[in-house]
Amino acid sequence: MSNVPAGLETLDFSFSGGRPAGAFQPVLVGVVGSGNLEVMLEAAAGAACVVRVETSARGFGPIWQAVMTDFHTRHPLAGVRVSINDMGATPAVVSLRLDQAVAGITGVAP
């Protein structure tokens, strides 16, 4: 029997040193479902990119950290709140959805 407790896991990340995204309407991509996830980007006060992940796949914090660090390296945004609701998506799907969300922000190239 696994020693990982059942239920959703919440992971929070924060990245600084990005370029301000400016004002934009919230962007939502993806659908929460088996093996998928949804990503929402919202404009936020401050100079950080903050990320909250709610995932059904518990115990993968280091992998999420790596995926989110890669995201911030590729898209160094500031003043952005990222909300992710995950149902077991692979890192490649997470990166794809994040790129799609960034593409939806007016004036920010993916």
Side-chain angles (χ1 to χ4, degrees), residues 12-109:
D12 292 301
F13 305 98
S14 183
F15 301 93
S16 59
R19 67 181 183 279
F24 62 90
Q25 292 296 313
V27 175
L28 178 66
V29 297
V31 176
V32 174
S34 179
N36 211 327
L37 77 160
E38 68 182 8
V39 172
M40 184 165 64
L41 300 185
E42 299 173 280
C49 176
V50 295
V51 180
R52 170 158 281 186
V53 177
E54 299 272 344
T55 180
S56 63
R58 298 181 62 89
F60 290 90
I63 293 172
W64 277 103
Q65 177 70 58
V67 170
M68 297 316 305
T69 298
D70 176 68
F71 167 71
H72 187 70
T73 298
R74 291 182 294 110
H75 305 289
L77 300 173
V80 175
R81 180 175 41 252
V82 180
S83 301
I84 299 174
N85 296 312
D86 172 57
M87 292 300 287
T90 65
V93 171
V94 175
S95 292
L96 171 68
R97 294 287 181 244
L98 287 164
D99 289 347
Q100 289 173 325
V102 169
I105 298 175
T106 303
V108 177

